[in-house]
Amino acid sequence: MAPKWRELADKLAEQIKRGDYAPGQRLPHIRELVEAGEGSKATVHAAYKALEAEGLVTSSRGHGTVVRQRVPLKRLGIARYDKVKWRDGDEVAFIADRVASGRGYRRNEQTQTVSRVVAPPEVAAAHGLPEGAEVYARARLVKEGDQPTHTLTSYYRPEHVEGTRLVDPTPGPAGRGGGFRVLYDAGYEIDHMRERLFARAATPDEVKQLQLPPGEPVVELHRTTYTADGTVVEFAIGVHAASRFAWEYDFKVPDSAKDGEGQQ
C-alpha cells in the first residue's frame, strides 16, 4: 500500500494532467488541504515536494506551489524505438515522444552539427576502438518551439556511415526514418540496445544551452545500439532537462525461474 503522501501526489498529478489546475495556477495552501482532510501538514508537504520533483509544479517563497506552464513530455522507453515507426514510417524517436504526449512538432526543431573527431575514451570503449581512433560525432539540439528540451550526440564508426545522410549536417532528422533507417539501408539493422540513465548537476554550458532554471538537474542518457550479431553501430550520449520529461517504460516482467525450467 502506497504511503498517504504518494496517494495525494498521484491524485493531484491526475488533476493537473486533466486540466483541473491550469498552467500557472497556484495549488491550494497546505493548510487548506489539511483542513479538507487530505492529510497532515507533513503529508501534504511531501506530496507537493514529489510533484515538484516530477516536474509538474514549482514552489517558491511568496508564490506558493504553482503548476508548470507545460506538462513534461512523455519520454517513451522501448516503444519509441519500434521499427514500424522509423523503418516503415517517418516517426523518429523525438517525434514519437511528441506524438505520445499529444504535442505538435516540426522536423527542423532538431538541429545538428556533424564532425569527425578523435573518439573520447568512453566512446572508444563502447565501439571497441583503440585509443586515437576517429569517429563521426552527430550532435543534435532538440527544441519544443523555442524551448530546448535535450541534446543528443551519436558516435559512429566511419566505415558504417561514410557517404550516408548521417554525415550530412542539414537540420532535422537524417531523412525519412532518421538515423536508424540510414543504418538499416546500409545493412546495419538495429536489434537491441542498452540504456543507462543518471541524474547530475548541470554544467554552466548546459544551463545556457538548455535554458535551465537555477538549480535544475539534468538526466544523462548513455545508449549503446547493436545489430543482431553484437556489432555496436551507435553510442549516444543525451542530456535532458530533468523537468521537461517524464520517463515511461512498458515491458514484460521476466520470470527467470520459469525460463530456466524451459531450458532443462
Side-chain angles (χ1 to χ4, degrees):
M1 184 176 178
K4 181 68 175 178
W5 66 264
R6 182 68 265 174
E7 291 181 2
L8 178 57
D10 290 343
K11 176 182 176 180
L12 292 169
E14 181 58 33
Q15 292 173 345
I16 291 170
K17 291 174 182 177
R18 69 172 181 242
D20 293 356
Y21 293 102
Q25 183 177 352
R26 182 180 58 78
L27 295 186
H29 286 297
I30 289 178
R31 68 173 181 275
E32 294 178 60
L33 291 183
V34 172
E35 292 170 357
E38 295 290 358
S40 66
K41 181 178 179 181
T43 294
V44 179
H45 179 74
Y48 277 9
K49 295 301 290 183
L51 293 175
E52 186 174 13
E54 291 160 16
L56 293 173
V57 302
T58 59
S59 296
S60 61
R61 188 179 299 277
H63 293 89
T65 300
V66 176
V67 177
R68 279 187 178 273
Q69 291 299 320
R70 297 298 301 270
V71 174
L73 286 163
K74 288 183 180 178
R75 200 285 187 180
L76 299 178
I78 298 168
R80 74 199 306 262
Y81 303 123
D82 189 342
K83 291 183 182 181
V84 75
K85 296 183 186 296
W86 53 265
R87 182 192 60 202
D88 307 328
D90 192 24
E91 199 171 298
V92 299
F94 94 86
I95 293 177
D97 293 340
R98 302 286 177 85
V99 171
S101 303
R103 308 263 268 269
Y105 64 88
R106 298 190 305 272
R107 293 177 66 83
N108 64 3
E109 287 178 328
Q110 173 181 293
T111 61
Q112 60 194 13
T113 58
V114 180
S115 56
R116 187 159 172 162
V117 300
V118 173
E122 191 165 24
V123 174
H127 278 286
L129 294 170
E131 182 180 351
E134 292 190 342
V135 293
Y136 274 104
R138 180 171 171 249
R140 284 93 84 198
L141 172 65
V142 182
K143 295 183 177 182
E144 185 180 17
D146 294 328
Q147 183 182 63
T149 58
H150 65 289
T151 64
L152 183 69
T153 302
S154 296
Y155 297 91
Y156 307 97
R157 286 174 175 254
E159 61 266 30
H160 292 164
V161 299
E162 198 84 71
T164 72
R165 296 190 307 274
L166 282 174
V167 296
D168 180 352
T170 302
R176 180 175 172 82
F180 291 148
R181 178 58 191 260
V182 174
L183 291 170
Y184 176 83
D185 290 341
Y188 301 103
E189 181 176 1
I190 67 170
D191 178 77
H192 58 284
M193 58 181 62
R194 178 186 299 120
E195 290 191 341
R196 183 165 70 95
L197 299 167
F198 57 93
R200 60 170 174 79
T203 67
D205 285 345
E206 290 165 348
V207 170
K208 182 178 179 180
Q209 186 176 37
L210 295 176
Q211 299 175 15
L212 300 175
E216 178 163 339
V218 294
V219 175
E220 186 165 322
L221 162 75
H222 290 190
R223 180 177 77 203
T224 310
T225 306
Y226 304 83
T227 60
D229 66 3
T231 300
V232 175
V233 290
E234 179 210 39
F235 179 72
I237 299 176
V239 179
H240 301 71
S243 68
R244 296 170 196 165
F245 288 90
W247 302 75
E248 183 173 296
Y249 289 88
D250 185 2
F251 52 89
K252 183 177 177 60
V253 176
D255 186 346
S256 58
K258 184 176 179 180
D259 293 342
E261 290 173 1
Q263 297 173 1
Q264 295 177 356

